[in-house]
Amino acid sequence: MSQEEAPDTSHVDPGTVGVATLALGALGVVFGDIGTSPLYALRTVFTADAHAVHTGPTEVYGVISLVFWAIMLVVSVKYVSFVMRADNGGEGGIMALTALIQTTKLKGRRAKATLVLLGIVGASLFYGDGMITPAISVLSAVEGLKVPAPGVEHLILPITVVVLVMLFAIQRFGTGAVGRLFGPVMALWFAVLAVAGGREVLRHPQIVKALSPSYAITFLFEHGGVAFIALGSVALAVTGAEALYADMGHFGRAPIRRAWFLGAFPALTLNYMGQGSLILRSPKAVADPFFLLVPEWGQIPMVLLATVATVIASQAVISGAFSVTRQAVQLGFLPRMAIRHTSHEEVGQVYAPAINWGLCVAVVALVLAFGSSARLASAYGVAVTGTFVLNTILFLAVARLLWRKPRWMIAVGAAVFLVVELTLFAANLTKIPEGGWLPLAIALAAFAILTTWEKGRGIVTEKRRQEEGDLHAFVTKLHEMDPPVHRAPGTAIFLSPGIDTTPLAMRENVEHNHVLHESAIIVSIETMRVPYVAQDERLEIDDLGYSDDGISHVVARFGFQDEPNVPEVLRLADKQGLERAIDIDGASYFLSRITIVAADGAEMSRWRKKLFLALAHNATDPAEYFALPVQRVVTMGAQIPL
């Protein structure tokens, strides 16, 4: 599908939820991070130790121009106008792009494997950003309390920890509820940004000239190394752009676009220009240009509003982490884990308890370890800009391989986006010795988990297939047994991971217990490379070559955003033509519980085996994951060496 033809496939019912309502929610959830960047981005540029930019007209106009065009190219043009068209059934984020890549036809397997690997690296970097953003946002917010109340400095860390725990605690109520709570606050926040900045722009209207890219180019060429270092701080103005894309499934493309172009983008532009105008008029304002834009009588209320807004800034990456995690689970890069829907109207709104509380612990640890937002700022930006680069590479691959865009167009996109983002990434690499190593270390750990699970799962699946044997051969042998196997009354449901192999629980029941229920339904779950599968494409029913013997095979297809509810699948299969009516409410469910044991072998290194076993041990119970009635689940064990 071409870029121009790509429809908005968000799963919002416009009769139930208005675009305006979703846009308001998007303001609260999606734009919190990028919306609070004016608090510290310009201040960091002009006050950085040893690399501070001077406050002359050339420098100020150049920095404002850099900030504006970074936001314009990275957020408005790349993400909002182009990348959000590369949705996978309404879902966004770098894992959605990875799923699209997996559907492409490339001549070389290595090329596709490389692109998928880049997607995994990008998702890993996103987790690194997801831990730092809440830490620096909330800590900088609470530190703002020192302005009206200097005596509370010793309480900053305890207050920060309490606020963080409360923030993660409300996630279980869902993105929609959080958005409705945060949306009006952020609408007020952006309105105040616009008014504060616009007021100063009216006093110095010449600052509007900074919107010309010529000032940015001149600044870069005339100031060399200082300008390059400054780009590391300029990148702070676009943090949150990848979360914007990852959160697309929570609200839909149209609400996010409207909220951006009609609200967030104009307000940010006015505020950055206002700060630039203030610095030109009063160079001492570099100490805190954001708060000094506000009249003295409004500074205390502004500190309080900023405190709330920076807490909200954490929401974009938290909800984005839920989306990326769910896609990673369904695509086979993470073990099964509990993921809950939190909205009846918007399918993409989910909550992952394990990720939520894991992030909470990590973020609190970062706050206590670093102790101040200034120290955390040195770690901020590397993961964000790295994700930008990888996202662009995958997006251009999708545009070429799926949309069949001409090579010259891909080359232009690469020249524009990659040059900008690689420059921002390179500038942020200078922060590595001062703390930039942290998000890279987090990303490395996430990468090890994602790749280890994907590789180990493939090895175990192949060994399990060998143990299970061919399904059709087993059913044929079953009918040739003499004496025939005893058929017990009732219905048995056997879950099978493959569509061609025999469930181990079924084989064990026949070979050791010499019994099989009168109605035996084998259910194989197949996860497709799309977010959602339509009901009329959900099932494939097969009698395995023997009609009216009570044995049927049901292949249930789910998208990576669907909930794999097996009882609902069986009810649908019963309506669509199973050879015998089955008692779903009284059926027994047979699971093959596989115990993976470490063994000698060169398939995986020792540390990877230990990591895989730990992940497998903590995977969600399949009965819970597939929504089975636990009181009617029978588990039969088997061992697989790894």
Side-chain angles (χ1 to χ4, degrees):
M1 180 177 291
S2 71
Q3 174 186 315
E4 291 79 13
E5 295 170 340
D8 188 351
T9 48
S10 60
H11 301 275
V12 182
D13 179 1
T16 305
V17 181
V19 173
T21 302
L22 287 170
L24 181 62
L27 274 179
V29 173
V30 176
F31 299 112
D33 189 1
I34 197 169
T36 53
S37 295
L39 278 165
Y40 47 79
L42 286 189
R43 182 186 65 195
T44 305
V45 172
F46 290 103
T47 60
D49 295 338
H51 301 290
V53 176
H54 292 183
T55 56
T58 301
E59 292 84 357
V60 173
Y61 276 69
V63 169
I64 299 301
S65 185
L66 280 174
V67 169
F68 174 76
W69 283 101
I71 296 174
M72 173 65 78
L73 292 174
V74 175
V75 185
S76 297
V77 177
K78 176 192 159 182
Y79 277 102
V80 178
S81 299
F82 287 98
V83 174
M84 286 181 67
R85 293 179 181 269
D87 68 284
N88 196 359
E91 297 298 325
I94 199 161
M95 289 307 295
L97 277 178
T98 304
L100 288 173
I101 291 295
Q102 290 179 317
T103 67
T104 61
K105 295 181 179 179
L106 287 173
K107 293 181 180 179
R109 294 180 58 186
R110 182 173 295 180
K112 179 183 287 190
T114 300
L115 289 172
V116 171
L117 190 65
L118 290 178
I120 299 173
V121 173
S124 303
L125 288 170
F126 185 80
Y127 282 116
D129 178 40
M131 293 182 185
I132 295 179
T133 297
I136 191 172
S137 297
V138 177
L139 185 54
S140 64
V142 179
E143 285 176 343
L145 295 175
K146 291 187 294 184
V147 176
V152 303
E153 186 169 354
H154 65 288
L155 297 176
I156 285 177
L157 288 183
I159 293 173
T160 299
V161 171
V162 171
V163 171
L164 281 169
V165 172
M166 290 177 62
L167 174 64
F168 283 98
I170 66 173
Q171 297 303 314
R172 63 189 180 91
F173 296 109
T175 308
V178 173
R180 286 191 293 273
L181 174 65
F182 288 168
V185 176
M186 290 308 295
L188 174 62
W189 171 256
F190 283 114
V192 172
L193 288 186
V195 170
R199 175 174 169 269
E200 185 62 35
V201 169
L202 290 175
R203 299 182 65 174
H204 188 88
Q206 293 89 343
I207 194 67
V208 176
K209 294 188 299 183
L211 300 185
S212 169
S214 62
Y215 289 95
I217 295 170
T218 300
F219 175 66
L220 287 173
F221 279 98
E222 289 187 357
H223 292 77
V226 171
F228 179 74
I229 298 296
L231 284 173
S233 298
V234 169
L236 298 177
V238 292
T239 57
E242 177 62 26
L244 175 154
Y245 178 42
D247 284 331
M248 185 168 66
H250 289 253
F251 296 98
R253 186 194 308 163
I256 291 176
R257 280 181 171 168
R258 294 188 185 186
W260 173 251
F261 284 115
L262 298 179
F265 185 38
L268 289 171
T269 301
L270 281 171
N271 195 266
Y272 282 121
M273 286 196 301
Q275 290 189 47
S277 172
L278 177 63
I279 292 171
L280 284 173
R281 183 167 59 85
S282 176
K284 292 182 179 180
V286 295
D288 205 333
F290 179 83
F291 285 106
L292 291 174
L293 276 178
V294 182
E296 187 174 346
W297 58 265
Q299 287 180 359
I300 291 180
M302 191 62 174
V303 169
L304 298 177
L305 179 60
T307 300
V308 178
T310 49
V311 170
I312 294 171
S314 308
Q315 185 59 46
V317 291
I318 295 173
S319 54
F322 296 159
S323 296
V324 170
T325 297
R326 187 181 189 206
Q327 294 176 54
V329 169
Q330 296 286 35
L331 291 173
F333 293 105
L334 283 174
R336 289 188 304 266
M337 61 179 64
I339 297 177
R340 304 170 187 168
H341 279 287
T342 58
S343 171
H344 296 294
E345 295 87 14
E346 180 54 57
V347 183
Q349 294 185 6
V350 294
Y351 166 64
I355 296 299
N356 183 66
W357 293 112
L359 277 176
C360 180
V361 172
V363 169
V364 169
L366 286 177
V367 168
L368 296 177
F370 279 78
S372 72
S373 61
R375 294 178 63 188
L376 270 171
S378 62
Y380 205 32
V382 179
V384 178
T385 52
T387 306
F388 288 169
V389 173
L390 296 172
N391 183 288
T392 297
I393 294 171
L394 293 182
F395 169 71
L396 293 175
V398 168
R400 175 61 184 165
L401 299 172
L402 290 184
W403 298 345
R404 303 298 178 187
K405 293 298 179 182
R407 286 187 173 87
W408 69 265
M409 191 176 293
I410 302 302
V412 170
V416 174
F417 298 132
L418 284 180
V419 167
V420 171
E421 292 171 350
L422 283 171
T423 304
L424 292 175
F425 178 65
N428 274 279
L429 289 179
T430 62
K431 299 179 179 180
I432 287 179
E434 300 174 356
W437 57 268
L438 177 63
L440 297 181
I442 295 171
L444 182 62
F447 180 79
I449 291 172
L450 292 169
T451 54
T452 297
W453 181 260
E454 193 271 342
K455 182 176 182 179
R457 184 184 59 84
I459 295 171
V460 170
T461 298
E462 180 57 34
K463 291 188 175 184
R464 179 171 178 160
R465 286 175 62 87
Q466 296 173 9
E467 290 283 336
E468 291 172 336
D470 183 76
L471 176 60
H472 284 82
F474 176 80
V475 173
T476 299
K477 179 182 176 182
L478 184 66
H479 285 81
E480 295 173 352
M481 291 181 66
D482 187 18
V485 66
H486 175 66
R487 303 300 293 271
T491 300
I493 313 298
F494 297 91
L495 265 64
S496 176
I499 62 174
D500 300 316
T501 57
T502 310
L504 286 174
M506 186 177 192
R507 182 181 291 278
E508 294 292 315
N509 227 16
V510 170
E511 293 183 352
H512 295 280
N513 299 330
H514 306 290
V515 65
L516 186 66
H517 286 69
E518 291 177 343
S519 293
I521 314 297
I522 302 167
V523 179
S524 298
I525 307 296
E526 188 174 5
T527 300
M528 311 303 289
R529 301 294 183 182
V530 296
Y532 306 95
V533 174
Q535 289 281 31
D536 58 354
E537 299 176 359
R538 175 81 70 200
L539 299 180
E540 180 180 325
I541 302 173
D542 185 3
D543 64 8
L544 300 173
Y546 294 89
S547 59
D548 200 32
D549 68 347
I551 304 175
S552 298
H553 185 205
V554 175
V555 177
R557 298 183 177 89
F558 293 93
F560 59 74
Q561 292 285 13
D562 285 321
E563 284 194 32
N565 188 309
V566 170
E568 289 300 320
V569 162
L570 292 171
R571 288 185 173 86
L572 183 61
D574 200 26
K575 294 178 182 177
Q576 291 188 4
L578 285 174
E579 63 181 52
R580 292 185 186 178
I582 60 174
D583 178 15
I584 297 174
D585 293 329
S588 298
Y589 293 84
F590 287 80
L591 299 180
S592 306
R593 181 171 298 279
I594 302 300
T595 301
I596 304 168
V597 294
D600 294 333
E603 300 105 326
M604 296 177 70
S605 60
R606 184 181 298 274
W607 73 267
R608 280 190 179 274
K609 288 182 181 181
K610 291 182 178 180
L611 176 57
F612 181 82
L613 292 173
L615 293 171
H617 179 73
N618 288 283
T620 300
D621 190 316
E624 178 183 350
Y625 187 77
F626 293 114
L628 305 182
V630 293
Q631 68 275 15
R632 288 186 278 114
V633 172
V634 179
T635 302
M636 304 186 72
Q639 282 191 345
I640 296 290
L642 176 63

